[in-house]
């Protein structure tokens, strides 16, 4: 465990940022923590922190394989996924920490958690893919600086009508992906880390993103940073082609990288997920505490100086595309 200059552990500092700067929790709050095996390495430390701050907390474990079972039993889009007792717990909490595993196949369950009715005063921190690196970054995250930067970037996206991502094919050929932003009619979303009453936010922050109108993305983009589970070296660069808002083809010199998308397509066919390849999001990372890419999209999409695109679901952001996956 790393000790900072004040003698406070890095982990405890991260929890202080989370509960006080992000969630603005007090001892009067009713705290709910949802977790699975992703939290195993940190559970006891979190419990000790909550005890030290006299936070009245309910812990609900939803094992990952049980999440998959719930999705199987609730195959139709309009069938309930969240069990009634869990929904009741969510509905009573004023602070929620959602630490379920970053499992692509269980995305619909995590989305259902976000869509479960909550109190108007409730603040939810969404932390899929939680890890030691996540807590380390959170301990160093400059929340106020991010708030100021996010407001500027959101204004730029809202005022803009078109974005162009200009990248290079591995052979040097210039590539352009053109995105109709929708302006203020498709208002940009700020993930600053400050979670207001009635809202939820990804932790750690920070990014500003928008969800372009359906069918209004065309061209090619070379991805040279990361995919979920993959940090891309030069030989791994993958070129994604979009036509009328859908990913239509992908090419890379390294077979495992193309196989990642092949697997996504095959899985979508098996589940009749016709929206898996819809362009869902354009995002800009603003967190200077993230200095390297890890393959964990929760971190990588927030790294300062990066731009990311996503395919699949954006219904969790209040938009119209529903999918079983969301891939940054």
């Amino acid at each position: 465990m790393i000790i900072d200059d004040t003698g406070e552990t890095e982990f405890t500092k991260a929890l202080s940022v989370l509960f006080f700067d992000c969630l603005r929790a007090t001892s009067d709050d009713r705290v709910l923590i949802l977790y699975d095996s992703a939290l195993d390495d940190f559970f006891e430390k979190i419990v000790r922190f909550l005890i030290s701050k006299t936070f009245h907390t309910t812990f609900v474990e939803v094992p990952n394989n049980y999440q998959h079972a719930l999705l199987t039993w609730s195959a139709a889009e309009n069938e309930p996924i969240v069990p009634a007792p869990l929904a009741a717990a969510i509905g009573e909490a004023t602070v929620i920490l959602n630490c379920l595993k970053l499992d692509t196949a269980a995305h619909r369950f995590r989305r259902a958690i976000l869509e479960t009715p909550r109190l108007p005063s409730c603040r939810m921190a969404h932390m899929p893919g939680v890890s030691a690196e996540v807590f380390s970054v959170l301990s160093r995250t400059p929340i106020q600086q991010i708030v100021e930067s996010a407001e500027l970037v959101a204004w730029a996206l809202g005022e803009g009508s078109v974005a162009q991502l200009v990248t290079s094919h591995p052979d040097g050929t210039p590539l352009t992906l053109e995105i109709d932003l929708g302006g203020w009619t498709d208002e940009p979303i700020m993930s600053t880390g400050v979670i207001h009453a009635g809202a939820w936010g990804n932790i750690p922050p920070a990014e500003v993103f928008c969800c372009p109108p359906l069918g209004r993305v065309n061209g090619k983009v070379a991805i040279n940073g990361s995919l979920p589970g993959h940090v891309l070296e030069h030989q791994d660069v993958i070129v994604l082609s979009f036509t009328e808002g859908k990913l239509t083809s992908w090419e890379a010199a390294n077979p495992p990288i193309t196989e990642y998308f092949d697997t996504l397509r095959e899985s979508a066919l098996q589940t009749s997920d016709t929206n898996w390849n819809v362009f869902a999001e354009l995002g800009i990372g603003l967190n200077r505490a993230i200095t390297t890419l890890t393959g964990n999209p929760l971190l990588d999409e927030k790294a300062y100086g990066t731009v990311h695109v996503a395919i699949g679901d954006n219904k969790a952001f209040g938009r119209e595309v529903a999918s079983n996956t969301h891939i940054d």
Side-chain angles (χ1 to χ4, degrees), residues 91-295:
E92 288 294 322
T94 57
V95 165
I96 300 174
L97 182 57
N98 185 11
C99 292
L100 300 176
K101 186 179 296 185
L102 185 62
D103 175 4
T104 299
H107 171 79
R108 195 158 66 95
F109 180 76
R110 294 195 302 278
R111 188 183 77 202
I113 293 291
L114 296 176
E115 294 174 347
T116 299
R118 304 187 297 275
L119 291 171
S121 60
C122 183
R123 293 89 70 201
M124 179 189 285
H126 189 56
M127 297 180 68
V130 64
S131 65
E133 179 65 16
V134 166
F135 285 114
S136 177
V137 165
L138 186 55
S139 73
R140 296 177 280 109
T141 293
I143 298 294
Q144 186 54 43
Q145 183 185 81
I146 288 168
V147 170
E148 295 170 1
S149 298
E151 290 174 349
L152 292 173
V153 174
W155 181 86
L157 287 176
E159 288 293 307
S161 57
V162 175
Q164 289 186 335
L165 298 187
V166 181
T167 56
S168 295
H169 191 281
D171 67 10
T173 304
L175 304 173
T176 300
L177 184 68
E178 187 159 295
I179 303 163
D180 184 337
L181 294 175
W184 291 113
T185 60
D186 192 21
E187 187 172 349
I189 299 171
M190 297 188 299
S191 171
T192 65
V194 178
I195 302 173
H196 299 284
W200 68 271
N202 277 333
I203 300 294
E207 62 170 313
V208 175
F209 63 94
C210 60
C211 305
L214 288 175
R216 306 295 288 274
V217 179
N218 291 281
K220 296 184 177 184
V221 59
I223 303 298
N224 64 356
S226 71
L227 306 173
H230 300 272
V231 177
L232 304 182
E233 306 295 339
H234 177 72
Q235 68 275 12
D236 299 327
V237 173
I238 185 164
V239 175
L240 307 181
S241 298
F242 289 87
T243 302
E244 296 183 350
K246 284 202 169 187
L247 176 64
T248 53
S249 64
W250 44 93
E251 57 170 308
N254 195 348
I257 305 304
T258 54
E259 288 169 5
Y260 176 85
F261 286 92
D262 294 340
T263 301
L264 282 178
R265 178 178 55 189
E266 291 305 312
S267 177
L269 288 173
Q270 293 174 13
T271 58
S272 301
D273 183 356
T274 58
N275 288 334
W276 76 274
N277 61 339
V278 172
F279 190 100
E281 172 194 349
L282 167 68
I284 299 169
L286 299 172
N287 195 328
R288 294 177 183 269
I290 303 173
T291 56
T292 59
L293 300 182
T294 66

Side-chain angles (χ1 to χ4, degrees), residues 47-60:
V47 170
R48 288 198 296 271
F49 176 85
L50 294 168
I51 291 173
S52 73
K53 305 302 180 185
T54 63
F55 286 149
H56 293 261
T57 306
T58 298
F59 299 87
V60 177

